[in-house]
Amino acid sequence: MKESRNKIWREQIFWRALTLLGLFCLMALFVPYTDDDLRWGCAIGMERLSRGFADYGGRYAGYLIVMAMTRSVVFKTLSMGACLTAVCVLVRALSGWEYADLLTAALVLLSPLSLFSQTVGWVSGFANYVVGLVVILAVWVYLDRFFKQEKKQNSPAAAVALLLTGLAGTLIVEHYTIYLTMLAVCTIAFCLWKERRCFLQLWGYLAGCLAGTAWMFSNSAYRAVAGGSDGYRKLDEGNIVWRLIKGLGRICKFGYFDYRVMHGLLLVMMIACLLVCGKRMGKIQKGLGWLGAAGEGGLILCQTVVLSRMESMPVKGAASWICTACCVLSLGSLAVFVLVLFKESVCFARSLFVLASMVVIDGPFLLAKPITPRVFFGSYVLLGLVLSLWLKGILETAAIQAEKADGKEGILRDALMTPGNGAGNGAAADEGGRAGMRRGERLAAGVLAVLVLGIGLYDTMIYAGISRADRQRLEQIRSLAASGETRIYMETLEHEEYVHDITVSNRNGERGYLAFYGLPEDLTLVSDYTKEK
């Protein structure tokens, strides 16, 4: 019976992952090349490669990935589909909740359009911020399983694999580089404290991270950034306290404040946690928990008021200060809430690690600028992981409480918990039901599946329309150029907010467009973003 239930569970996971892969690949097929993609996919990208990306940046692995993606639609489609599916599957593995993959997929598809368009809708952004997150999540899964082993042993093969993973992962994007290296150091320290020794594979991971970090930041581009001579990337100047405050405001504006769906779900989950787990809490604990929920509710109220009057969080003025304060209050409330429930379930303890990781990942942007929504893709997905962990914690707590009330050792817990996630595997609660699934979970899974499929297909149609219109516009430009036109107007496309800068807006974009599509170099392209008003 146990083997049969586990086999059914594994088959469900497999077919669900395969379905997500097909959906994401279908969407990725129609994602057009835009902005930086065009420069990476032509002679400009090859010229950068020939110089070893000197004076450009140290994202060596990220640059090579995007160069490959812009030269093969098949590779772009498969890699984007596989990475998005991997994000969902890895979150499920880390949270232990069977349907966390569907929840993660839904959250990605429901993410703010500014974030979605610069990651899923932009190949260059995807190659850095989504691929880099896959590396982080994969390392987490390995470390989680490694520390759960009763008899840990040195593994030369794993050491080599982790060395290469650490090396590649730290050559994708800078703030992930810093985090992966800090994770390696902390993992070594934790292992020495817990095991009184360390293992070859962990040393291999640390060596790979240190080598990758040194390689990345040895690029001369970062000396220009530090010296203030880089034309794009800069560090804030002035009083350190004021720099940190301004950086925090930028992080809130381009990241945390705009997550309306995410914060709504966080508040609902906090209330559910308190209702389920509150029976075993003292008055002080329960009061702190409800205070945390109130803090999250305060941010949602602020979002509702501000976003009903303007498109996004303001950059300056009193309203900006209020929004930033609400974001800080919300993050503090999440931390307090987790501490209150820390002993209820290991899932709540794990969510504290995830929240701390978010702070470390986004921390460099307190001083570095400019900030764009795409840099927060990682922390957005990690908030989704927190949601899944809390839901898993609710199920565990409810199972234990129901077990004690019924006096049926192990049976009801198995009816509420999912096979393969560390729970027991007792008798099924009813003959016809599948072990590990409650009626509520089946309903939630069905809603999530319909949501993911519906939004995924809708976005696919949007991207198909954008791609078709982009090709038609290109043919029109080719025809006008062949007739002798030297100054051509680029019409904006419908729904082009789903992608990043698909219409030329500056000289760099124009150079890339002309080179990628083999148009005359002396052609001038103007648009609503470039022409004189």
Side-chain angles (χ1 to χ4, degrees), residues 5 11 17 36-37 55 101 113 145 151 184-185 202 237-238 246 269 287 316 321 344 350 416 421 427 444 484 524:
R5 287 198 307 271
E11 288 178 351
D36 277 1
D37 305 342
D55 301 323
D101 50 354
L113 193 54
R145 294 180 178 179
K151 296 182 179 180
V185 173
L202 300 185
E237 299 178 352
K246 289 197 298 182
M269 198 61 63
K316 299 179 180 179
W321 287 99
E344 293 297 318
R350 288 186 171 206
L416 291 169
N421 290 327
T524 299

Side-chain angles (χ1 to χ4, degrees), residues 234-398:
K234 297 184 182 298
L235 298 176
D236 264 333
E237 299 178 352
N239 180 277
I240 184 64
V241 175
W242 181 241
R243 290 160 64 187
L244 292 175
I245 292 174
K246 289 197 298 182
L248 183 60
R250 290 194 298 267
I251 290 174
C252 293
K253 172 178 172 54
F254 291 102
Y256 200 73
F257 186 81
D258 204 25
Y259 302 158
R260 280 166 281 185
V261 173
M262 182 72 78
H263 287 298
L265 290 175
L266 284 170
L267 178 59
V268 170
M269 198 61 63
M270 292 171 87
I271 295 173
C273 288
L274 289 169
L275 293 176
V276 173
C277 304
K279 298 177 182 179
R280 300 196 296 177
M281 292 183 188
K283 291 183 178 180
I284 296 178
Q285 280 183 301
K286 193 179 296 185
L288 288 173
W290 284 109
L291 190 62
E296 184 66 15
L299 174 60
I300 294 174
L301 179 61
C302 182
Q303 284 178 326
T304 303
V305 173
V306 171
L307 297 177
S308 66
R309 293 288 184 267
M310 54 191 70
E311 294 182 356
S312 63
M313 174 179 157
V315 180
K316 299 179 180 179
S320 175
W321 287 99
I322 293 172
C323 293
T324 300
C326 287
C327 289
V328 174
L329 176 63
S330 170
L331 189 58
S333 297
L334 295 182
V336 169
F337 183 81
V338 170
L339 290 172
V340 167
L341 296 173
F342 192 83
K343 294 183 179 180
E344 293 297 318
S345 167
V346 69
C347 294
F348 295 110
R350 288 186 171 206
S351 65
L352 186 62
F353 167 79
V354 177
L355 290 173
S357 295
M358 285 173 50
V359 172
V360 175
I361 289 173
D362 293 341
F365 297 105
L366 288 170
L367 298 174
K369 61 181 184 180
I371 297 179
T372 54
R374 59 184 174 269
V375 305
F376 301 108
F377 181 84
S379 56
Y380 178 83
V381 172
L382 294 186
L383 272 178
L385 173 56
V386 169
L387 273 174
S388 297
L389 285 167
W390 286 1
L391 186 52
K392 177 70 172 178
I394 289 175
L395 292 174
E396 287 184 349
T397 304

Side-chain angles (χ1 to χ4, degrees), residues 116 163 193 246 271 322 348 358 368 376 427 440 486 495 507 514:
F116 190 79
L163 186 148
W193 170 75
K246 289 197 298 182
I271 295 173
I322 293 172
F348 295 110
M358 285 173 50
F376 301 108
T486 59
H495 301 306
R507 178 55 185 162
L514 298 177

